[in-house]
Each structure stands twice: as structure tokens, then as C-alpha cells.
Amino acid sequence: MFPAPPKKKDYSPLARDPSREDRMWLYSELKRYGKFTGTCWILSPEPQPATPLPIKTIEDIIYSEGFLMASTKEKQLEYLIENAKVEERTINVVSTLTAGQRNSPAWHQARRGRLTASNFGSVLQAKRVTPSLIKRLLGEYNLSGVKAIAWGQDNETEALKSFTNITNFTPVQTGLWLHESGVLGASPDGLVGDDSVIECKCPYTHRNATIKEACGHKDFYLEEKEGNYTLSTTHVYWHQCQGQMFLTKRKFCYFVNEIGDAGAAALAELLKENTSLTHLDLSSNEIGDAGAAALAESLKENTSLTYLNLSSNEIGDAGAAALAECFKENNSLRILDLYESNIGEAGAAALAECVKENSSLKMLSLNGNNLCEAAAALAKYLKENTSLDGSY
């Protein structure tokens, strides 16, 4: 494309000028690879001005004449407490106006200076007030560029999507929920039904470990008890979830771990005993060959699942081979989607063998993979397999 041919005037490598729809498509694709890329930042929409809020911000209060003219610290505190109070109707309005959370200027404005649920644990466990604690509570640490924070933010959407695929519950986007005092607040990742919130955690440190392995670390937030995994009551995430339920007046919290290989392995264990689930969509969850192998083992025992979507993962040849092996024993799966799953010739060859022998599979998607010569073998077995309706 560059440099332009010297002898061609008005040269353009494009067949037409890019439209706004083209730019938005490119922006959406770049977001999948991380919003911190330069081109993604350039294409991102300009931030909108903050929506006027029906409450006073903490800054509004402490810079007001009444606060500054108070004669003592005690009177200033009384003034702050009195002027920060909010009514229940206002609480609901604020939660709606601040939906979108970190992408909403109003959310940043409303929570600044308030004690939010993500810091409840830090306060409750603090033995004394330290400068670092004050700095944390005032939001003076900019963590948006920290790799672990960026990882969690980028994978939160996929975690919510996986939750919906597995449970058929769709979380509703929400914003900041305040306490009547106006000093405390919480921002759950979503609302589920009439009685639940959802909180997603995508741990960067343990991204390549199984849940069982991660539980061996003392800093991990889950613990294993009698074969089950529970949220540790001493971890700050416990206090965060309790705060979210209290301030939203809900009874339950769905605590969601990012999928990946560890999550896939945990799901695989459930699939071995599940007899009702028929559709499972795990697309775009960074599942590798280890996760695919765990799922393949569970499919040898599962008899109810008929649709499995593993598209846009990192299944690879080893994962494809494991899935192919399971079809020697599985007779229930009808549709397998492996679109853009980094499968090469070896994996395709193994799947070709499974297609040859399996009589239950009806649809197999391998589009977007590097099949090359293996496609010929696959095509050959497609002709021999009379039960398969299509491979694409």
C-alpha cells in the first residue's frame, strides 16, 4: 500500500473511500485485541460530557461555602454527613444515569470521594490508617494501565457472555448504587433477575492455572472445601460482594471466574454429571488445548449436549485431536463449531478420521483455520460419511 507508485497520480489502494460503518467495524475488531492499542484509541469515540447528576458530589460539598466556613472539623464533618444524604428515589436514578461504569463520565464523577465496595475489605482489614490507604480510597492510584487490571477489564465482557451462555440469564447493565448516607457506594458488574447481582473476576496471575492449582496459593480468593469451591470469607472480594448485595438490596451474588483453560476444566467436570444441558457456547474464551482436552474427556460421558461452540479460541492441533478422540464414544453431539480455533493440518487430519467413523455429528465448522492439504482428506471422508449434513 505504501509508498504509492511514483508514476500514478491520485493513487489509492482502496476500491472506495472508507465509510463510518467501516471505521466502526475496524474499531470493534481492534477492541477484541485490547483497547490500549494506539489505533483503537485513535478510532474510539470522543468522550461525552458527564450527565448532570441529581446529587451533590463529595467535591461539591467540601468546596462549598458552608463547609469551608464551618469553624471546627467536627462541624465540617456534620455538614458533610447532612449534605451527602440521598433519598431512595434518587439512588435508583443515579444507578441508571451511571450505567456503563468506567465508560461513563457520570459514574466517575458520582463515585469520586465516596467509599465504594471494592475498598470495603481494605478498610475493614486495616489495622491503622496509613497514607497508602488514604491514597487508595481517594482514587489517586491510576491502575488502568496495569497489566492485571487491563486483563480483567478486557475479559469481563467475555465472562458475562459465558455466564449467559451457560445459565440462560442475561445480566442487566447497571451503575453506581449509593447508600442513604450518600457516602457508601457499589457498582456490581450487572443485575440478574430481581434478587441477584453478578461480579466477574479474571485473575491475571492465575490465568494459566486450573482452579484447583490456584487454590493452592494463599492469596487466591477461592478455597476448596469438601470438593466444592467457595469464596474465601477473609478475602476483600467477599466484602465487595457483601457490599454490593447490601446496597442493591439483593439476596444473591453470582461470582464468575473467567473461563480459559481453568474454567473449561471446571465446566468439564460438571458436564460429566449433567443430563439436561443441550447447548453450550464457549466462543471467544481463550480456551487452549488443555481446556479442549478436558471438555473432550467429559463428552465421553455426557449424553445430553447436542451443540458445542468453541469458535475463536486457541484449540490448536492437540485440542482438535482430543476432541476427535472423544467422538469414538460420544453419540449425542450434533453440531461442533471450531471456527477460527488455530487448527492446522494435524488437527484437521484427526478430525477427518473422526468424521469418517462418527455417525451422530451433523454439522462441523472449521472455517477460518489453516487446513491446506488436510482439507482434501476431510473432503474425502465427507463423501463417505452419510450422516454429516455439512462441514464449512
Side-chain angles (χ1 to χ4, degrees):
M1 295 174 64
F2 298 98
K7 295 183 180 180
K8 291 186 177 181
K9 294 183 179 180
D10 302 322
Y11 170 77
S12 174
L14 304 176
R16 59 177 175 80
D17 291 336
S19 63
R20 181 179 182 279
E21 288 73 21
D22 294 328
R23 295 187 186 94
M24 293 307 296
W25 172 84
L26 178 59
Y27 175 60
S28 65
E29 290 296 303
L30 287 170
K31 284 177 67 177
R32 295 173 55 193
Y33 295 96
K35 62 182 178 181
F36 300 105
T37 59
T39 306
C40 185
W41 177 80
I42 291 171
L43 289 173
S44 62
E46 290 295 321
Q48 299 297 314
T51 304
L53 293 168
I55 58 170
K56 295 178 181 178
T57 67
I58 298 300
E59 289 181 349
D60 289 337
I61 298 173
I62 64 176
Y63 288 122
S64 66
E65 184 177 356
F67 183 88
L68 295 174
M69 293 299 292
S71 57
T72 64
K73 289 184 178 179
E74 288 74 15
K75 289 187 178 298
Q76 284 184 330
L77 182 58
E78 290 176 5
Y79 185 89
L80 172 63
I81 292 174
E82 185 61 33
N83 284 270
K85 293 178 181 177
V86 291
E87 298 177 352
E88 185 173 354
R89 180 181 62 84
T90 305
I91 292 173
N92 293 325
V93 172
V94 171
S95 70
T96 301
L97 291 177
T98 55
Q101 300 190 15
R102 70 179 69 92
N103 295 319
S104 166
W107 179 75
H108 290 280
Q109 183 182 16
R111 74 193 296 269
R112 188 178 297 122
R114 291 184 161 91
L115 178 58
T116 54
S118 57
N119 286 322
F120 284 1
S122 299
V123 172
L124 291 170
Q125 295 176 0
K127 296 180 180 179
R128 63 183 185 279
V129 178
T130 61
S132 62
L133 177 62
I134 296 297
K135 195 172 183 179
R136 177 185 177 90
L137 298 180
L138 293 178
E140 294 180 12
Y141 288 119
N142 181 11
L143 301 176
S144 62
V146 177
K147 186 177 291 186
I149 301 298
W151 173 270
Q153 292 178 357
D154 290 343
N155 285 279
E156 180 184 304
T157 301
E158 295 303 329
L160 289 171
K161 175 183 171 183
S162 298
F163 173 81
T164 298
N165 291 334
I166 295 168
T167 65
N168 289 325
F169 296 148
T170 301
V172 176
Q173 193 178 65
T174 190
L176 177 68
W177 289 81
L178 294 173
H179 183 257
E180 289 84 352
S181 67
V183 177
L184 305 178
S187 302
D189 289 331
L191 305 178
V192 182
D194 296 326
D195 60 359
S196 304
V197 296
I198 184 170
E199 181 62 27
C200 301
K201 297 299 180 185
C202 308
Y204 179 81
T205 305
H206 305 290
R207 65 192 184 281
N208 296 319
T210 64
I211 294 178
K212 187 176 184 64
E213 291 169 344
C215 284
H217 295 261
K218 63 179 182 179
D219 62 333
F220 195 55
Y221 45 81
L222 298 180
E223 54 187 13
E224 187 176 3
K225 291 184 177 179
E226 299 179 354
N228 296 313
Y229 297 104
T230 61
L231 182 59
S232 171
T233 57
T234 60
H235 199 279
V236 292
Y237 289 166
W238 168 268
H239 301 292
Q240 180 181 8
C241 293
Q242 293 296 321
Q244 290 176 356
M245 289 187 288
F246 175 73
L247 293 176
T248 59
K249 295 179 172 61
R250 290 173 176 244
K251 298 179 180 179
F252 306 103
C253 176
Y254 288 98
F255 190 84
V256 180
N257 225 30
E258 182 219 0
I259 297 297
D261 281 343
L267 283 173
E269 289 300 313
L270 295 175
L271 283 176
K272 290 180 180 180
E273 301 178 6
N274 186 282
T275 58
S276 60
L277 188 68
T278 58
H279 285 59
L280 181 58
D281 187 342
L282 296 175
S283 58
S284 303
N285 268 302
E286 300 191 11
I287 297 173
D289 55 0
L295 288 168
E297 282 299 312
S298 71
L299 289 175
K300 292 179 180 179
E301 300 181 29
N302 181 276
T303 58
S304 64
L305 200 67
T306 60
Y307 171 89
L308 177 60
N309 186 350
L310 292 173
S311 63
S312 300
N313 283 295
E314 296 297 321
I315 303 300
D317 287 341
L323 289 168
E325 188 68 21
C326 86
F327 282 108
K328 294 180 179 179
E329 301 180 38
N330 181 283
N331 294 312
S332 62
L333 199 66
R334 300 291 182 266
I335 300 174
L336 176 61
D337 190 345
L338 295 173
Y339 171 79
E340 286 191 349
S341 289
N342 197 29
I343 297 172
E345 293 189 15
L351 288 167
E353 285 292 330
C354 99
V355 169
K356 178 183 177 182
E357 300 177 10
N358 185 276
S359 60
S360 60
L361 194 66
K362 300 297 181 183
M363 298 293 291
L364 173 64
S365 173
L366 290 170
N367 194 21
N369 290 290
N370 186 24
L371 302 185
C372 301
E373 295 179 5
L378 188 61
K380 174 185 175 184
Y381 292 133
L382 281 176
K383 293 180 180 179
E384 298 177 7
N385 188 312
T386 57
S387 65
L388 198 67
D389 294 333
S391 177
Y392 53 99

